[in-house]
Amino acid sequence: MSDIRVAVILLNWNGIEFTRACLNSLSKVDFRDFKVILVDNASQNPEGEALKNEFPELDLIQNSENLGFSGGNNVGIRAALDQGFSHVLLLNNDTEVEPDFLGKMTEQISSYPEVGIVQPMICFLHEKGKIWSAGGTWKQALGRAITRGDRRMISAYQPASVNLDWATGCCMLLSREAIQKAGLLNEQYFAYFEDVEWSLRIRKSGFNIQLVPAAKIYHEAGASSKKKHDEGTLSPSVFFWHVRNQFYLIRSQGSLLGFAYHLGRFILWMGYFLLRGRFKKLKAVARGMAAGLSDQLQAAPKWP
């Protein structure tokens, strides 16, 4: 594996405490041939500069505006490919990693040339025995992205197969070849479901996706989106992106029954928000449905 060089793309947006803890855990990783590219997505305070002062070994890219998950990560991915890295690891800033996770992931992806993405076993940061994600299954008929192992105890979980339909953007290691052939993240998505769309596109380009059960990391889960608002914890924007992007995804995959299935789901959401008096969220769902069904779908950018 001497020819494997990994760029770890860490996206920060008003989350300096999480990012600091993540960087501290990365400093203990035993696979040495990697570099962290920290992309600050226009945080309110100069968090990127503060983190660069604390961790001078990382590369800092400072975005002038919040480009979302997809656009922000694409900035880091382009920089990594420009610098000649063989692999790119997307890693959420609200994660902490086991020292051997990257070595196990690089070993598996380098052993199988047909594998374009691998994902580790991801558990909850504060319940380390409980699974947050063991990868994903795509149900084409209903246009559903299902998380495997969700909230199962890791001690009792045996994956039926290491082959996945999609990997979560929380932590995914990609080969340079897969990105070059399939393209970058679709920036129209901004946030939510962009990892599913990317995974399905990479599979259509001829690559497989696998879980690495022995590689483990821990996730805070939703740290950037869970902030107190007048209508609860999740902001109306989260519901807008979720609903809009769900329809983007099923349109891109041609899942006809999925339209009816998700339309019914989101109408029930609107009824719930109406009963609870959460009118901002109700409007966000309605706007997401309108945009998701009517916006012209945009292609993902290519590199170079």
Side-chain angles (χ1 to χ4, degrees):
M1 294 194 298
S2 59
D3 57 341
I4 289 187
R5 296 179 59 240
V6 180
V8 178
I9 313 300
L10 207 58
L11 188 65
N12 179 74
W13 180 66
N14 300 323
I16 189 169
E17 295 300 332
F18 290 109
T19 306
R20 180 181 290 118
C22 183
L23 287 166
N24 279 325
S25 75
L26 284 169
S27 71
K28 301 178 179 68
V29 167
D30 55 19
F31 179 88
R32 300 317 308 169
D33 203 354
F34 78 95
K35 170 169 276 208
V36 176
I37 299 176
L38 176 68
V39 181
D40 187 80
N41 229 359
S43 297
Q44 292 172 353
N45 298 313
E47 294 186 351
E49 295 175 19
L51 289 163
K52 174 67 173 176
N53 288 335
E54 292 181 50
F55 302 91
E57 68 279 6
L58 60 78
D59 284 357
L60 172 65
I61 301 175
Q62 182 65 58
N63 288 339
S64 58
E65 60 180 307
N66 182 0
L67 301 177
F69 182 90
S70 48
N73 274 301
N74 275 351
V75 169
I77 294 167
R78 288 188 183 97
L81 297 177
D82 287 343
Q83 293 176 42
F85 284 93
S86 65
H87 292 76
V88 171
L89 180 86
L90 297 196
L91 183 65
N92 272 21
N93 70 316
D94 58 349
T95 60
E96 295 180 22
V97 303
E98 290 286 355
D100 62 355
F101 94 107
L102 189 54
K104 292 181 182 300
M105 291 177 74
T106 54
E107 181 178 6
Q108 184 152 324
I109 200 169
S110 64
S111 298
Y112 304 97
E114 73 278 8
V115 175
I117 308 176
V118 293
Q119 178 198 309
M121 188 73 76
I122 306 174
C123 294
F124 287 90
L125 182 60
H126 301 295
E127 293 181 89
K128 293 187 175 180
K130 186 178 288 186
I131 297 170
W132 181 80
S133 172
T137 297
W138 173 250
K139 297 292 187 182
Q140 174 66 20
L142 294 178
R144 289 188 65 200
I146 298 170
T147 298
R148 299 183 185 181
D150 186 23
R151 299 180 188 278
R152 299 272 299 275
M153 299 307 296
I154 194 168
S155 58
Y157 182 74
Q158 290 292 330
S161 169
V162 297
N163 293 312
L164 305 174
D165 293 336
W166 59 274
T168 173
C170 173
C171 184
M172 59 200 308
L173 179 68
L174 304 100
S175 70
R176 182 185 187 90
E177 292 75 20
I179 300 171
Q180 284 180 306
K181 189 169 182 181
L184 305 178
L185 285 158
N186 192 319
E187 296 181 9
Q188 186 179 22
Y189 281 62
F190 192 81
Y192 301 97
F193 292 107
E194 70 292 303
D195 48 0
V196 181
E197 190 277 335
W198 203 23
S199 295
L200 296 177
R201 180 159 30 98
I202 287 171
R203 287 186 68 220
K204 285 180 180 178
S205 297
F207 295 91
N208 293 337
I209 302 173
Q210 291 188 347
L211 174 73
V212 187
K216 294 185 180 67
I217 73 165
Y218 308 100
H219 186 211
E220 174 72 21
S224 64
S225 59
K226 290 181 179 178
K227 295 180 173 66
K228 280 294 181 183
H229 302 275
D230 56 358
E231 291 192 358
T233 304
L234 293 175
S235 75
S237 296
V238 169
F239 289 92
F240 170 76
W241 291 322
H242 181 102
V243 172
R244 185 196 66 175
N245 294 356
Q246 179 73 75
F247 282 122
Y248 283 173
L249 182 60
I250 60 176
R251 285 170 62 195
S252 73
Q253 300 303 311
S255 176
L256 295 177
L257 185 59
F259 283 106
Y261 172 77
H262 290 290
L263 195 63
R265 283 181 64 223
F266 299 144
I267 288 172
L268 289 174
W269 282 16
M270 292 171 68
Y272 171 79
F273 291 142
L274 179 64
L275 291 172
R276 294 294 301 271
R278 296 184 175 179
F279 300 113
K280 291 178 183 177
K281 290 182 178 178
L282 188 155
K283 291 177 181 177
V285 172
R287 287 192 300 109
M289 290 169 63
L293 292 169
S294 64
D295 287 352
Q296 183 174 346
L297 296 182
Q298 299 173 15
K302 294 281 190 177
W303 183 90

